[in-house]
Amino acid sequence: VQLQASGGGLVQPGGSLRLSCAASGFTLHDYAIGWFRQVPGKERERIACISRNSGVTQYADSVKGRFTISRDNAKSTAYLQMNILKPEDTAVYHCATQSLGSCYREFDYWGQGTQVTVSS
């Protein structure tokens, strides 16, 4: 059972990246999926969530209007489209699952992260 984030890299300010969160050994369709990011020395920040049936999406104020979370249950993959990236978006990005399918519950399974660096 594994959850893996990918798609990170180095991008210039104003650029875009799309992160993927892929599950292996289980399917994502019963779970809510969240994206989090962490910078060394700072608390982990929850930045987006999508509920099991995609009926609820939530965003942190810091990314609202720039980032979009989505999911493709047939591919057991979730995505985070990040536009208009800023240097302060630099972090390790992780995805996580919530077994009850709700964005209003604590997340209970975490995957490996992917580094996003926004710099000119």
Side-chain angles (χ1 to χ4, degrees), residues 5 14 20 39 54 58 61 78 108 112 117:
S20 298
V39 176
S54 302
Q58 297 175 343
D61 288 343
D108 42 35
Q112 295 294 317
T117 303

Side-chain angles (χ1 to χ4, degrees), residues 3-8 17-23 28 32-38 44-51 57-60 62-63 67-72 76-82 91-98 103 107 109-116:
L3 197 64
Q4 179 69 55
S6 62
L17 281 175
R18 188 176 81 156
L19 304 184
S20 298
C21 174
L28 285 178
I33 300 163
W35 283 98
F36 297 75
R37 65 187 181 188
Q38 188 154 26
R44 183 173 60 204
E45 180 186 14
R46 172 174 152 168
I47 57 172
C49 177
I50 186 166
S51 63
T57 55
Q58 297 175 343
Y59 298 93
S62 57
V63 306
F67 291 12
T68 303
I69 189 171
S70 62
R71 64 191 299 158
D72 185 338
S76 205
T77 302
Y79 304 97
L80 185 69
Q81 178 66 43
M82 307 188 296
V92 176
Y93 285 70
H94 296 264
C95 56
T97 57
Q98 204 296 314
C103 288
F107 284 79
Y109 187 78
W110 297 83
Q112 295 294 317
T114 185
Q115 174 71 46
V116 172

